[in-house]
Structures are given as structure tokens and as C-alpha cells.
């Protein structure tokens, strides 16, 4: 699955520029694991991501654990 941002530009030039930007962002993710301009995720440089990666992994683990420990009603929303 490939998710891309909403394309607001209506001219062919704007759509081409956005397409290039999206391709560059996908390339950066595939090469370095760096996510740029994602919804609900701050944009980080590769260097910042390397520093924060252990904390991101820790937060993801906490989320998985809390989902397993939560009530059935809570699990329905996660």
C-alpha cells in the first residue's frame, strides 16, 4: 500500500511538482526510514530520527502492551 498526501494543485505543473515531491519522500523512507510530512507525525531529519528511534520503538511497544491489557471495549477502538 502506498499512501500519498492530498494533491491540492489543479494545474498540470502543480501536480507534476507534487508528484516529484512525493517520489522523493518515498525514496527517503525506503533508503533511510525517514518519514516526511506524514499526518500526525513530525518531520524529522535522518540524524534526528536516529536519535529518537529508540524512543519511538519504546512508545510503539507501550501502545501494543496497553492494547493487550485494555478492556474489551477499549480494544474495539484501537
Amino acid at each position: 500500500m502506498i499512501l500519498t498526501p492530498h494533491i491540492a494543485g489543479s494545474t498540470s505543473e502543480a501536480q507534476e511538482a507534487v508528484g516529484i515531491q512525493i517520489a522523493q519522500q518515498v525514496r527517503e523512507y525506503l533508503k533511510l526510514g525517514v518519514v516526511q510530512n506524514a499526518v500526525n507525525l513530525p518531520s524529522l531529519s535522518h540524524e534526528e530520527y536516529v536519535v529518537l528511534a529508540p524512543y519511538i520503538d519504546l512508545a510503539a511497544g507501550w501502545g501494543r502492551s496497553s492494547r493487550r491489557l485494555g478492556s474489551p471495549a477499549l480494544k474495539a477502538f484501537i
Side-chain angles (χ1 to χ4, degrees), residues 19-71:
I20 291 169
Q21 183 181 21
I22 291 168
Q24 290 170 339
Q25 291 172 4
V26 170
R27 181 192 65 204
E28 289 302 305
Y29 174 74
L30 294 174
K31 285 177 59 179
L32 303 172
V34 175
V35 178
Q36 294 288 321
N37 302 319
V39 176
N40 297 330
L41 184 68
S43 294
L44 302 172
S45 68
H46 177 67
E47 293 79 18
E48 292 169 323
Y49 180 78
V50 167
V51 170
L52 294 176
Y55 302 103
I56 294 169
D57 293 339
L58 179 62
W62 283 345
R64 286 189 299 275
S65 295
S66 66
R67 182 177 55 203
R68 283 191 217 92
L69 297 173
S71 70

